[in-house]
Amino acid sequence: MKATRFFCNVKSQTSNLKSKIPMTPEEISNTLKDLFGESVETPAPTSWQVQTPKFRLLVLLSDDGSWLRILLPIADAQEAQPFSDKLLEANFDTTLETRYAIHQNVLWGVFQHSCATLATADFSAAVARLLALQERGLSDFFGSVIESRIRQIIKAAKMQGQSVETTLQTLDRFYAEGLMGEMELGRESREQTLAAWRYQLERLWPEVEP
């Protein structure tokens, strides 16, 4: 029993020592190549880039090589601005080791970690989570904000005795006046946005009490 306990302790200590070995640039390169193959570029000894038609992933080391940062652009910062509170809530509740951040007018997905305690599996998991954030974009936040505002509109309309049809006309007018969307967007984007508002209004109408 004592011998077994001794070997278990030695194994545990060895595992802890391995986990504290810093993740090297070579390991970062190899991990990225395992994930993305020939799409991996190395602009500098301490930076990597993965460029595909769908995303541009950046991996950067600090000057002293002690910290690693993974970055992935998600959206224009102006598009993300209406959802700033939701983005902060997501950072607190759902993004785990990744974060939303704004820099140079871009909304980024960001992962930062000390190289000394970063395992390859954690690195790969962070990349996967960032790609998931990028794929979802702002759609989740957009839908949440739309639903909240539509519920307010429906409640006010019902209190005034308006019908669904009348409320839809009011919705169209509000949007045309720029009260419910950015008129600088292209025609296709405006039509998609308005269609989303209309869909939510018709879906939520029976659920909202005046």
Side-chain angles (χ1 to χ4, degrees):
M1 176 67 74
K2 291 182 179 180
T4 301
R5 185 178 301 170
F6 171 78
F7 284 120
C8 287
N9 289 338
V10 170
K11 184 177 180 181
S12 175
Q13 291 172 6
T14 303
S15 176
N16 289 337
L17 287 173
K18 288 182 178 179
S19 67
K20 293 180 180 180
I21 297 175
M23 192 169 187
T24 65
E26 182 180 2
E27 289 175 312
I28 295 170
S29 294
N30 291 337
T31 304
L32 288 173
K33 288 176 181 177
D34 288 342
L35 294 171
F36 304 108
E38 297 302 318
S39 298
V40 180
E41 302 173 8
T42 310
T46 57
S47 66
W48 296 261
Q49 175 176 281
V50 180
Q51 184 84 45
T52 76
K54 293 185 177 180
F55 63 84
R56 177 171 175 254
L57 181 78
L58 302 174
V59 180
L60 307 174
L61 286 179
S62 62
D63 292 339
D64 61 3
S66 63
W67 275 84
L68 173 144
R69 176 181 294 173
I70 310 175
L71 302 160
L72 190 64
I74 294 176
D76 184 273
Q78 186 175 359
E79 294 179 15
Q81 194 277 330
F83 316 116
S84 57
D85 57 337
K86 298 295 182 182
L87 292 168
L88 291 175
E89 289 176 6
N91 280 348
F92 187 83
D93 287 331
T94 62
T95 61
L96 300 181
E97 75 275 20
T98 58
R99 294 289 184 271
Y100 290 106
I102 291 179
H103 180 62
Q104 294 183 342
N105 297 319
V106 175
L107 174 69
W108 300 81
V110 181
F111 169 79
Q112 297 185 105
H113 205 285
S114 168
C115 292
T117 55
L118 180 61
T120 301
D122 295 329
F123 178 92
S124 299
V127 169
R129 187 169 295 279
L130 288 173
L131 290 174
L133 293 182
Q134 189 267 345
E135 185 176 359
R136 289 200 301 270
L138 297 173
S139 58
D140 292 350
F141 304 108
F142 184 67
S144 176
V145 169
I146 284 181
E147 179 169 331
S148 176
R149 293 184 182 177
I150 287 295
R151 286 183 179 275
Q152 296 174 6
I153 291 172
I154 292 174
K155 184 173 183 178
K158 285 188 173 182
M159 291 179 65
Q160 297 174 16
Q162 296 181 5
S163 64
V164 178
E165 292 75 16
T166 304
T167 308
L168 279 170
Q169 293 173 5
T170 303
L171 196 67
D172 289 348
R173 179 170 57 82
F174 282 171
Y175 193 80
E177 294 173 354
L179 299 178
M180 301 176 65
E182 294 293 335
M183 299 307 294
E184 295 82 9
L185 299 176
R187 178 179 178 182
E188 183 178 352
S189 297
R190 292 199 302 269
E191 290 177 351
Q192 289 176 353
T193 302
L194 186 53
W197 285 100
R198 289 171 175 166
Y199 167 77
Q200 291 283 29
L201 187 143
E202 292 176 333
R203 181 180 71 84
L204 296 171
W205 185 270
E207 300 180 10
V208 179
E209 296 294 332

